[in-house]
Structure formats: C-alpha cells, structure tokens
Amino acid sequence: QVQLVESGGGLVQAGGSLRLSCAVSGSIVSISTMAWFRQAPGKQRELVASITSSSITNYADSVKGRFTISRDNAKNTVYLQMNSLKPEDTAVYYCNVWVVTTLPRNYWGQGTQVTVSS
C-alpha cells in the first residue's frame, strides 16, 4: 500500500512564500518522476513542476523562476518551494508520483490548499 501525504499549504499574502511537502510511504521499491499539479476553481488541473529520478526538472511557464521543485530520496519526499506568490497561484496543489513496486504505478496526494491574498 502506497500513500502520499501532503503538507505545507495555507494562506499567504502576495509576494510571500510557502513550502509544500509530499511524503511517500508504503511498499516502495523506487520512485521515479515526482510532480506537483494544481487545480483552481473552475479550471482544469495543470502540471506545475516535475522532477525525474535523475533530478531533471520541468516547470510551467507561469511559475518558472518563482517555484523550485526538489526531492529527498532518503525521505521519499518531494518539495515545492513557492516564492513570490501571486493571487493566481491560488489552487489546490496535488502531489503526483510514479512508484515502482512490482510494476510502476501512479499515485496522487490528497491535495493541499494554497491561498494567496492580494
């Protein structure tokens, strides 16, 4: 059984920072790509950032230069450091990982609310 537990969301003023964490637990052989998605009310879920097992990163244009994704393989945790937050960053943020047990499987976190006030 694999579980993803997210934390770090909250309310912050525009220009502020938050650090999201997503810890993966369970029967894990290895974790490949880890990513953060977000979904704002009335909008589709979108990819925010991803990081491969070799630490290759990719960012949505809207967050490039402001957000940083990182991972701690020893802790099976992925982070999203969010700086210079804007009201348009307000969304529920979801962790997503590819976990290898006998076969690779994709898992989602429960989501954590990020609200940026202006």
Side-chain angles (χ1 to χ4, degrees):
Q1 186 180 31
V2 175
Q3 293 188 7
L4 279 61
V5 179
E6 301 181 29
S7 62
L11 175 64
V12 66
Q13 293 182 353
S17 298
L18 286 173
R19 182 177 174 88
L20 306 183
S21 299
C22 176
V24 184
S25 63
S27 300
I28 301 169
V29 175
S30 65
I31 301 174
S32 56
T33 300
M34 310 179 81
W36 289 95
F37 290 75
R38 68 185 181 187
Q39 187 166 23
K43 295 185 177 181
Q44 292 184 328
R45 189 171 299 186
E46 64 175 346
L47 176 66
V48 177
S50 64
I51 182 168
T52 69
S53 59
S54 58
S55 296
I56 298 173
T57 58
N58 186 55
Y59 298 92
D61 288 341
S62 59
V63 307
K64 196 171 298 182
R66 299 186 298 119
F67 291 9
T68 302
I69 189 170
S70 61
R71 60 193 290 167
D72 186 335
N73 292 327
K75 297 181 179 179
N76 290 331
T77 300
V78 62
Y79 304 94
L80 186 67
Q81 179 67 47
M82 305 184 294
N83 298 326
S84 302
L85 282 162
K86 305 174 181 179
E88 51 262 43
D89 295 319
T90 295
V92 177
Y93 284 70
Y94 296 91
C95 178
N96 179 269
V97 303
W98 284 94
V99 177
V100 178
T101 52
T102 57
L103 293 170
R105 293 286 184 267
N106 190 248
Y107 294 89
W108 290 93
Q110 81 279 9
T112 184
Q113 177 71 48
V114 172
T115 302
V116 184
S117 63
S118 60

